[in-house]
């Protein structure tokens, strides 16, 4: 069987060229699932970690984005919501919602480097909101379930999420507890064979459309890092209230909700892994979330630089193209250099993560740098668009709004710095 897989993958990229994007799932057996390491030979055009199968996957996803998503982005941005069930079903049917998840639950069974490749390609969607919503489904709400959940839970929640039949959301942040996860107040009190949940969650991506929530709640009165559990919570249960859809300065096409829980009864069997381990599971889940965010933003940053080059080449000032002014092309060169350095950090972290290493420090560094560079890059490029940059008619202004979230969501810059300092053993002794 192994020999057959190796024989099949040799021809997989050429075969991909003649198949539609819906062929990805059926072709998953043709893709090598061997670990990608930082010491492996460079292949596929001397890429650091990607093989021809990674590029075949990206090529198929690009076709899907061009056909099914980008033609509708302007409408969905204007409406303040995209049809998550429709889009996720298309992605799920093609295999893109469970690239590194087990095949027995609908995934492709590949290593995490393929998920990074998918995240990069999703950066070609011409807004930040839709990729973010997809990332919640694939790398924020489901990693802990896939790793620690029971077979029954995976069948009920993971399988339909991978197939695109259910939309997931993540319930961690609260009004008084954003990046400080240990301070959440939502409680799940055990009564018989059920938990009774009371509290609320804030800034919940996919919240108005989700079928279930990966909920972090306090299940005891113990120490804050050992009293929390992750629970699969169906959103149609009595007592679950979508209080409002939150209006945001960016990420317009992604719905964000405030959710309240009023005596919501959930079976105890819906807990992910062990009771009291939720904080630890969520910290592990953050590794994939942050690497995903970095990969996704890199592609968008590349696009902004390239579109700025094209625009400034044709726009003239003082009788020559804006691009030809040294200050402009030197600055764009500096920004592209920063992007490439960040990409190298991402690939290093990915290679180590695939080998089973803890990459919390590197993922935090990459997340920190991404948030800061995204702001610097979008602001710098917008400047060269002049008055057009201050309109809603160009992509750079959209990402100027959307990118601002990176330094806030998924752990603020200051939290990333705290994590990095902890790993460098520089924090004050208690």
């Amino acid at each position: 069987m192994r020999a057959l897989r190796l024989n099949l993958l040799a021809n997989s990229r050429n075969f991909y060229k003649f198949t539609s994007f819906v062929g990805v799932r059926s072709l998953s057996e043709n893709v090598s699932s061997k670990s990608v390491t930082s010491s492996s030979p460079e292949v596929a055009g001397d890429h650091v970690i990607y093989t021809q199968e990674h590029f075949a996957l990206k090529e198929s996803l690009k076709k899907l984005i061009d056909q099914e998503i980008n033609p509708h982005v302007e409408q969905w941005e204007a409406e303040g919501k995209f049809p998550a069930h429709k889009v996720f079903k298309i992605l799920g049917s093609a295999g893109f919602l469970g690239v590194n998840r087990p095949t027995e639950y609908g995934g492709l069974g590949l290593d995490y480097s393929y998920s990074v490749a998918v995240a990069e390609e999703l950066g070609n969607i011409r807004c930040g909101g839709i990729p973010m919503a997809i990332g919640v489904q694939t790398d924020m709400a489901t990693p802990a379930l896939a790793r620690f959940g029971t077979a029954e839970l995976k069948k009920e929640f993971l399988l339909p999420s991978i197939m695109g039949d259910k939309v997931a959301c993540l319930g961690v942040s609260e009004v008084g507890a954003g990046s400080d996860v240990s301070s959440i107040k939502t409680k799940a009190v055990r009564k018989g064979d059920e938990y009774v949940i009371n509290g609320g969650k804030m800034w919940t991506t996919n919240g108005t459309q989700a079928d279930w929530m990966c909920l972090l709640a306090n299940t005891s009165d113990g120490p804050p890092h050992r009293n929390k559990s992750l629970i699969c919570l169906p959103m149609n249960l009595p007592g679950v209230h979508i209080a409002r859809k939150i209006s945001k300065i960016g990420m317009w096409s992604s719905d964000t909700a405030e959710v309240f829980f009023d005596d919501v009864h959930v079976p105890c069997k819906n807990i992910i892994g062990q009771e009291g381990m939720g904080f630890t599971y969520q910290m592990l889940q953050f590794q994939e979330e942050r690497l995903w965010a970095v990969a996704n933003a890199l592609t968008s940053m590349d696009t902004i630089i390239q579109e700025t080059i094209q625009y400034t080449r044709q726009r003239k000032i003082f009788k020559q193209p804006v691009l030809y002014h040294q200050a402009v092309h030197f600055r764009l060169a500096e920004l592209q250099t920063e992007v490439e350095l960040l990409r190298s950090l991402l690939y290093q972290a990915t290679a180590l993560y695939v080998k089973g290493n803890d990459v919390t420090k590197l993922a935090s560094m990459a997340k920190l740098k991404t948030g800061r560079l995204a702001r610097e890059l979008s602001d710098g490029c917008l400047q060269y668009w002049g008055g057009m940059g201050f309109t809603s008619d160009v992509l750079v202004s959209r990402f100027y709004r959307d990118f601002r979230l990176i330094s806030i969501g998924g752990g603020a810059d200051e939290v990333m710095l705290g994590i990095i300092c902890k790993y460098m053993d520089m924090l004050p002794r208690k």
Side-chain angles (χ1 to χ4, degrees):
M1 176 62 73
R2 176 64 177 169
L4 176 61
R5 283 168 61 86
L6 290 172
N7 182 56
L8 286 171
L9 73 86
N11 298 314
S12 64
R13 192 175 188 191
N14 288 332
F15 190 63
Y16 261 77
K17 292 179 180 178
F18 299 101
T19 58
S20 67
F21 56 78
V22 294
V24 174
R25 182 174 294 282
S26 63
L27 284 167
S28 64
E29 281 299 310
N30 299 348
V31 180
S32 172
S33 58
K34 63 184 178 182
S35 295
V36 177
T37 70
S38 56
S39 60
S40 61
E42 295 182 347
V43 293
D46 292 330
H47 195 279
V48 177
I49 63 171
Y50 291 167
T51 66
Q52 61 181 2
E53 288 75 41
H54 289 83
F55 287 107
L57 194 70
K58 285 164 68 73
E59 182 181 345
S60 293
L61 179 53
K62 187 175 189 306
K63 291 177 182 178
L64 186 153
I65 291 170
D66 290 343
Q67 294 174 22
E68 303 291 339
I69 299 178
N70 275 340
H72 309 288
V73 165
E74 296 300 328
Q75 175 188 345
W76 295 338
E77 282 281 292
E79 293 174 350
K81 180 187 289 189
F82 80 103
H85 286 89
K86 177 182 178 180
V87 173
F88 284 10
K89 184 57 183 175
I90 294 170
L91 290 165
S93 296
F96 291 115
L97 297 182
V99 173
N100 67 319
R101 302 295 176 227
T103 55
E104 58 265 40
Y105 298 106
L108 299 186
L110 305 173
D111 67 55
Y112 190 70
S113 66
Y114 288 88
S115 292
V116 170
V118 166
E120 281 188 324
E121 200 60 43
L122 288 170
N124 282 313
I125 297 175
R126 295 184 69 80
C127 68
I130 297 171
M132 178 178 69
I134 297 168
V136 168
Q137 182 95 348
T138 60
D139 288 76
M140 302 178 201
T142 52
L145 174 59
R147 187 171 178 180
F148 302 108
T150 63
E152 182 181 358
L153 272 187
K154 292 176 185 177
K155 184 177 180 181
E156 183 177 356
F157 296 100
L158 182 62
L159 174 61
S161 297
I162 289 174
M163 297 303 295
D165 294 320
K166 286 187 177 180
V167 174
C169 65
L170 179 64
V172 174
S173 294
E174 299 178 3
V175 173
S179 294
D180 183 8
V181 175
S182 64
S183 296
I184 65 166
K185 302 300 182 185
T186 297
K187 288 188 176 182
V189 178
R190 182 188 286 266
K191 291 187 177 180
D193 59 355
E194 292 183 322
Y195 286 109
V196 180
I197 300 172
N198 285 280
K201 294 297 176 179
M202 190 67 167
W203 306 297
T204 308
T205 300
N206 298 340
T208 69
Q209 303 186 73
D211 298 293
W212 71 280
M213 173 185 285
C214 178
L215 172 73
L216 185 68
N218 297 317
T219 47
S220 74
D221 294 324
H225 295 95
R226 296 195 295 272
N227 73 335
K228 294 170 176 54
S229 302
L230 286 174
I231 301 170
C232 294
L233 172 72
M235 294 290 282
N236 62 353
L237 291 177
V240 177
H241 305 289
I242 308 300
R244 63 186 174 114
K245 178 176 175 288
I246 300 170
S247 178
K248 312 181 298 294
I249 66 170
M251 301 293 191
W252 291 349
S253 53
S254 171
D255 61 293
T256 308
E258 182 176 13
V259 184
F260 290 122
F261 311 109
D262 182 14
D263 285 340
V264 179
H265 291 251
V266 179
C268 290
K269 65 181 179 63
N270 280 26
I271 195 169
I272 296 174
Q274 300 178 33
E275 182 174 292
M277 287 294 292
F279 184 88
T280 299
Y281 295 160
Q282 186 56 46
M283 293 304 105
L284 293 172
Q285 213 162 226
F286 276 147
Q287 289 191 81
E288 293 192 7
E289 173 179 344
R290 288 163 184 163
L291 290 176
W292 189 97
V294 175
N296 183 250
L298 279 169
T299 304
S300 301
M301 287 192 272
D302 282 333
T303 299
I304 291 172
I305 290 175
Q306 289 304 310
E307 293 198 2
T308 300
I309 290 172
Q310 294 171 14
Y311 181 74
T312 54
R313 179 176 280 123
Q314 67 179 2
R315 180 177 176 241
K316 291 186 177 182
I317 186 171
F318 304 128
K319 297 183 179 180
Q320 65 173 332
V322 172
L323 182 65
Y324 292 177
H325 290 268
Q326 188 181 78
V328 176
H329 56 250
F330 271 18
R331 183 58 181 145
L332 292 174
E334 288 175 340
L335 291 171
Q336 189 67 64
T337 300
E338 293 292 318
V339 170
E340 294 305 327
L341 289 169
L342 178 57
R343 201 185 326 269
S344 295
L345 176 57
L346 169 68
Y347 291 159
Q348 179 191 7
T350 300
L352 290 170
Y353 186 67
V354 167
K355 291 175 68 176
N357 292 284
D358 178 3
V359 296
T360 300
K361 182 176 78 170
L362 293 180
S364 300
M365 289 176 169
K367 165 70 164 55
L368 171 69
K369 182 62 177 178
T370 300
R372 293 183 169 181
L373 180 57
R375 281 186 282 160
E376 179 184 3
L377 186 147
S378 58
D379 181 62
C381 287
L382 186 148
Q383 183 70 21
Y384 301 141
W385 286 73
M388 284 301 299
F390 200 64
T391 71
S392 297
D393 298 334
V394 292
L395 187 67
V396 66
S397 64
R398 177 175 296 160
F399 279 109
Y400 179 81
R401 300 189 307 269
D402 290 353
F403 275 161
R404 190 60 185 86
L405 178 61
I406 299 175
S407 285
I408 301 172
D413 283 0
E414 293 74 19
V415 174
M416 297 301 99
L417 286 166
I419 294 171
I420 296 165
C421 289
K422 178 182 177 181
Y423 274 82
M424 294 177 68
D425 194 24
M426 298 193 301
L427 294 178
R429 304 291 183 184
K430 294 183 178 180

